[in-house]
Amino acid sequence: MYAAKYGDHLKGAIISSMVDRIGDYTDHLAQIREKALTPDELTYMKKCEAENNYDNDRYQELVGKLNDQFVDRKKPAAIAHLTETMSVPLYNAFQGDNEFVITGKLKDWNFTDHLKDIKVPTLVTFGEHETMPMETGKRMAEMIPNAKFVSTPEGGHHHMIDNAPVYYDHLATFIREVENGTFNK
């Protein structure tokens, strides 16, 4: 939103694992859950969500199972010591209880009509095994006038951790190209 409204204050923008319309995300989450969970597990998750019952151990185990495959795939020891910085109340207000159910303010998010307003060079980057649908990232890069799409092999939603060398090479290349005026879509 900032890049669309105040792009004259930016040299470039990086959209890392974010969709322009939440419906693409929730549709993709449904596909992910159907493939990754047994029918019983999926039924149980949906029952808990319908009852607004997210705090039970079994539900949280299933969230963990999905997180391991699509959010934090690698969990490198190098970051295990990091201090938790997430604001749970803020996350819950926007997202909901977890990555796999959208109950917060973002549940109706749709920015598609404004992608054309992002005029600065833009890098759209997604992980290969991600909660966000890769097709959406590619479409967004096509709709933003001066954007390029890249993906990080073996990365999940946190592909900056799962495959840091590739992710940060994408970022460094983008920043270098923006700085020296050679960025091309």
Side-chain angles (χ1 to χ4, degrees), residues 44-60 97-98:
Y44 184 78
M45 279 193 96
K46 287 180 178 181
K47 179 180 181 290
C48 290
E49 291 159 6
E51 296 170 353
N52 202 27
N53 177 16
Y54 303 106
D55 294 331
N56 69 74
D57 290 343
R58 183 173 181 211
Y59 183 85
Q60 290 304 317
D97 179 72
N98 61 70

Side-chain angles (χ1 to χ4, degrees), residues 19-35:
V19 295
D20 60 324
R21 56 183 178 226
I22 210 69
D24 289 2
Y25 177 54
T26 56
D27 290 348
H28 191 245
L29 289 178
Q31 293 170 355
I32 283 173
R33 293 189 336 168
E34 284 181 22
K35 291 178 184 172

Side-chain angles (χ1 to χ4, degrees), residues 117-129:
D117 300 328
I118 301 173
K119 305 293 187 199
V120 296
T122 303
L123 181 68
V124 179
T125 176
F126 281 45
E128 178 184 24
H129 304 284

Side-chain angles (χ1 to χ4, degrees), residues 73-97:
R73 292 172 53 85
K74 303 289 178 166
K75 297 181 187 67
I79 66 164
H81 70 284
L82 296 178
T83 301
E84 178 63 51
T85 60
M86 184 172 132
S87 171
V88 173
L90 183 63
Y91 177 88
N92 289 32
F94 281 92
Q95 175 82 16
D97 179 72

Side-chain angles (χ1 to χ4, degrees), residues 23-185:
D24 289 2
Y25 177 54
T26 56
D27 290 348
H28 191 245
L29 289 178
Q31 293 170 355
I32 283 173
R33 293 189 336 168
E34 284 181 22
K35 291 178 184 172
L37 301 174
T38 68
D40 178 59
E41 290 170 333
L42 182 58
T43 298
Y44 184 78
M45 279 193 96
K46 287 180 178 181
K47 179 180 181 290
C48 290
E49 291 159 6
E51 296 170 353
N52 202 27
N53 177 16
Y54 303 106
D55 294 331
N56 69 74
D57 290 343
R58 183 173 181 211
Y59 183 85
Q60 290 304 317
E61 281 177 21
L62 295 172
V63 168
K65 180 177 179 178
L66 293 168
N67 277 334
D68 288 347
Q69 295 178 59
F70 301 100
V71 179
D72 296 311
R73 292 172 53 85
K74 303 289 178 166
K75 297 181 187 67
I79 66 164
H81 70 284
L82 296 178
T83 301
E84 178 63 51
T85 60
M86 184 172 132
S87 171
V88 173
L90 183 63
Y91 177 88
N92 289 32
F94 281 92
Q95 175 82 16
D97 179 72
N98 61 70
E99 287 291 316
F100 303 96
V101 59
I102 314 303
T103 58
K105 295 178 187 297
L106 288 176
K107 69 180 170 28
D108 298 317
W109 169 256
N110 189 331
F111 196 71
T112 304
D113 292 343
H114 303 284
L115 291 176
K116 67 184 180 330
D117 300 328
I118 301 173
K119 305 293 187 199
V120 296
T122 303
L123 181 68
V124 179
T125 176
F126 281 45
E128 178 184 24
H129 304 284
E130 145 90 83
T131 54
M132 304 290 174
M134 186 103 49
E135 300 76 31
T136 298
K138 291 175 182 176
R139 179 188 47 75
M140 289 169 52
E142 290 173 9
M143 293 181 75
I144 297 169
N146 192 17
K148 181 187 298 186
F149 177 84
V150 296
S151 67
T152 304
E154 296 304 315
H157 185 58
H158 293 154
H159 52 289
M160 66 288 300
I161 295 168
D162 294 335
N163 193 344
V166 171
Y167 178 85
Y168 286 105
D169 183 57
H170 287 152
L171 265 55
T173 299
F174 171 73
I175 293 167
R176 196 170 29 257
E177 289 174 350
V178 169
E179 286 292 324
N180 68 26
T182 62
F183 177 79
N184 286 314
K185 190 173 173 166

